Amino acid sequence: MFELLAEPMGYEFMRVALLTSVIVAVTCSVLSSFVVLRGWSLLGDAVSHSVLPGIAIALALNIPYLVGALLAGVGSSALIGLVESRARIRNDTAIGVVMTGAFATGLILLSWMRPAMDVFHVLFGNPLGVSPSDMLLSAAIGSLVVFTVALLLKEIVAYTFDPIFSKVIGVPTTILHYTLMILLSLAIVSALNTVGIILVITLLVTPGATAQIVSRNIAQMLGMSILIGAVSAVTGLYLSYYLSISSGGAIAGVATLIFFGVLLVKSLSQWLKRDKD
Amino acid sequence: MYAVELESVSLRYDEVVALRDITFKSEAGKMVALIGPNGAGKTSILKMLAGLLRPSSGEVRVLGRDPARARGLITYTPQREDVYWEYPLTVRELVAMGNIRRRGLFKWLNTRDSRVDTALRLVMLEDLASRKISELSGGQQQRAFLARAICQSGEVYLLDEPIAGLDAPSESMLLEILKALRDQGKTIVMATHDISATLEIFDYVALIRNELVAFGPPKEVLTSENLVNTYGGSTVALHLDDLEKVAGWK
Ligand SMILES: Nc1ncnc2c1ncn2[C@@H]1O[C@H](COP(=O)(O)OP(=O)(O)O)[C@@H](O)[C@H]1O
Ligand SMILES: [Mg+2]
C-alpha cells in the first residue's frame, strides 16, 4: 500500500502536480461554499468559460494571460448583470447568452491565432505539465483567496445570506460582490492547468454542495468543503497515474462520487431514523 | 421632525409607474401599516425608506434626513421568501448579524454580545438559539428576523409582509412584540395584506394602490368605500357564501 502511494512521488512532475492540484482544489473549495449558498453555480460556470477569450486576447496583445483571464472573468459577471437588467430577462438566460458567446469568441480567436498554448489543455487541464512557477502562482492565488475570505467572512456570509439587509445595514455590498467575482476569476485561473476551464466548475460547486448536506454551520461547511476538495485532488491524481486517465476528469469524478456517496449515506440514515420512529 | 416622511413621491421602473404622488408622514413611536393588493407598491415604498431605491420625483426622509444618511438607524426585514433558509446558520448567528457593523475585520459575528441575548429574549427564542434556521417554523423565522433587527438597535423598523402565511397565534405574538417596540419609542412601518390585524393595533394605515387611496388612523381610513377603491369592487364583495358557490362549482 505504502509503495503504491510512494511510487508516483518519485517523480518531480508528480510531486508538483499533486501539490498544485491540492492547492487549487482547496482554493476553489473555499469559494464553493458561497457559490452554492448564493446560487451562483451557473454564474461560476459562465465566469470560467469567459476566461477563454480573455486568455486569447491576452496572447494576441502579448500581455500576461493572467491579466486577460481576470478582466474577462470579472467583465463577464458585470456584463451578465447588465444584460439581465437591460434586456429584462431572467438571470439564467443572461448567463446562457453571455457564457456561450464568450466561449465561442475564445475558440474563434484561439483557432485563428494558433498559439503555442494547447487549447485542449486549457479546456481540460494537464496537471502533469504544471511547472514549478505555475505552482507558485497557484499558491499565491490560494493564499490571497483564503486571506480575503478570512478577512471578510462575516460580511460575505451576511451578503450571501441576505443581500438586501446587508446593504441597508451598511455592508459595502457592491464592493463585496465584485471582490467575490475577482476571487472566483482568480481561482479559475489557478485551476487552468490542473482541471481546466470546463471542469473547474466541479471544484467550485461540488465540494460546497457535499458539505452543505452534512453541515450545521458555516465553519463546518467551509472545513468539510476544503477537506472534500483536497481528498478529491489527491485521489483523482493517483487514479489518473495508475489508470492512465485524464487527471482533470479523475479529480472531478472523485468529487462527484463523494457527493453521491454522502447523499446516499444521509438518505439511508434518515430512512433508518424514520423507521425507528 | 417626522420619523418617516414621503412628499409627492413617484417611482417608475422604466415604463412601469409603480407609485404616483404619494404623501404621508408619521411621528416617531407609531405603527404604520402599508395595505394594498399585490403590485400596489408596498415593497417599493419600504425600499425607498430603506434607501435602496430613489424616488423618480418627490422626497423621502427618515428621521429628517435622506435615508442613505440614516443607515445605522434603519432596520429592514425583507419578505421571508427572499431569503435562502437552508443557509447553515444558527438562530444566534442570524441575530448577531444585526451587530455586524460594530465588529472589526477578521472577526466572526459577535454571538456573545448582550444585545443578542436581549433580542432573543424579547422575541422568546432563547431556547431555540442554537437551532439551525431551517429548523424553525415560519412564525419563529419571522421572530428571528425581528430579533436581528432589534439587535441592530435601530430607530425605524421596516418590515415587508412579516405576518404573511403565519397562523393566528404566531401573528399575534409578532404583533405584540412590535407593540412593545413602539412603546419604547421605535417607529414601525409594515407592509401587510391583513386588514383585521391592523384595526386595533396600528396608529396609521396607508391604503395603497399605486396611489395613496387614504391615510390616517385605521378607524377613519378603513371604510368600505376606501377598501373597494384599494382592492377593487369584486375582491371585497366576494363574501363567504360567494366563496362557497365558487368551491361548489367545481
Ligand atoms: N424591479 C422592478 N422592475 C420593474 N417593475 C417592478 C420592479 N419591482 C416592482 N415593480 C413593479 O412595481 C409595482 C409595485 O411593486 P411592489 O412594490 O413590489 O408591490 P407590492 O409589494 O405591493 O406587491 C408592480 O407593478 C411591480 O410589477
Ligand atoms: Mg411586496
Side-chain angles (χ1 to χ4, degrees), chain A residues 88, chain B residues 13 16-18 36-45 79 160-161 210:
Chain A
R88 306 264 218 104
Chain B
Y13 295 99
V16 187
V17 179
N38 276 328
K42 303 182 295 293
T43 298
S44 301
I45 290 180
Q79 277 173 262
D160 203 349
E161 311 223 10
N210 306 111

Side-chain angles (χ1 to χ4, degrees), chain A residues 88 151 154 160 162 168 215, chain B residues 14 71 87 104 106 132 148:
Chain A
R88 306 264 218 104
L151 183 75
K154 67 177 173 317
T160 51
D162 189 346
V168 175
S215 301
Chain B
D14 298 327
R71 278 275 148 86
Y87 207 110
F106 270 122
K132 240 175 118 168
R148 179 178 69 174

Side-chain angles (χ1 to χ4, degrees), chain B residues 60-161:
Chain B
V60 178
R61 275 185 297 269
V62 174
L63 299 164
R65 10 185 157 168
D66 182 341
R69 305 204 177 285
R71 278 275 148 86
L73 303 169
I74 301 172
T75 77
Y76 183 89
T77 302
Q79 277 173 262
R80 200 161 70 250
E81 297 76 42
D82 289 351
V83 156
Y84 182 55
W85 289 95
E86 289 301 324
Y87 207 110
L89 283 172
T90 63
V91 175
R92 184 175 281 282
E93 285 169 329
L94 171 65
V95 175
M97 269 183 202
N99 66 23
I100 194 168
R101 295 283 285 157
R102 294 187 206 98
R103 191 90 165 144
L105 296 173
F106 270 122
K107 294 204 174 106
W108 179 233
L109 296 163
N110 186 2
T111 51
R112 311 220 162 275
D113 187 352
S114 64
R115 263 182 272 251
V116 174
D117 292 304
T118 312
L120 283 167
R121 199 170 334 110
L122 267 168
V123 303
M124 289 160 283
L125 282 179
E126 299 149 288
D127 296 340
L128 303 180
S130 44
R131 275 252 183 118
K132 240 175 118 168
I133 54 171
S134 57
E135 294 163 355
L136 299 179
S137 71
Q140 290 164 344
Q141 286 178 342
Q142 206 63 61
R143 276 187 280 144
F145 255 180
L146 187 54
R148 179 178 69 174
I150 293 170
C151 180
Q152 194 189 329
S153 19
E155 289 302 317
V156 176
Y157 286 64
L158 308 173
L159 303 130
D160 203 349
E161 311 223 10

Side-chain angles (χ1 to χ4, degrees), chain A residues 6-73:
Chain A
E7 193 211 298
M9 292 304 114
Y11 304 98
E12 161 150 27
F13 71 88
M14 272 304 284
R15 290 198 294 271
V16 172
L18 187 76
L19 205 55
T20 312
S21 302
V22 170
I23 292 170
V24 165
V26 167
T27 308
C28 292
S29 302
V30 169
L31 295 175
S32 88
S33 293
F34 303 110
V35 167
V36 167
L37 292 172
R38 189 66 213 134
W40 277 341
S41 302
L42 207 52
L43 181 64
D45 206 17
V47 172
S48 64
H49 280 71
S50 309
V51 160
L52 192 66
I55 292 175
I57 292 169
L59 288 175
L61 299 179
N62 218 353
I63 54 176
Y65 76 94
L66 178 67
V67 176
L70 198 60
L71 289 178

Side-chain angles (χ1 to χ4, degrees), chain B residues 13 31 36-37 48 51 62 67 72 78 88 90 98 102 107 121 166 171 183 199 202 211 225 237 244:
Chain B
Y13 295 99
M31 284 174 80
M48 285 191 293
V62 174
T90 63
R102 294 187 206 98
K107 294 204 174 106
R121 199 170 334 110
L166 299 193
E171 177 181 314
D183 295 342
L199 254 175
F202 280 79
E211 319 187 352
E225 194 196 336
E244 271 163 13

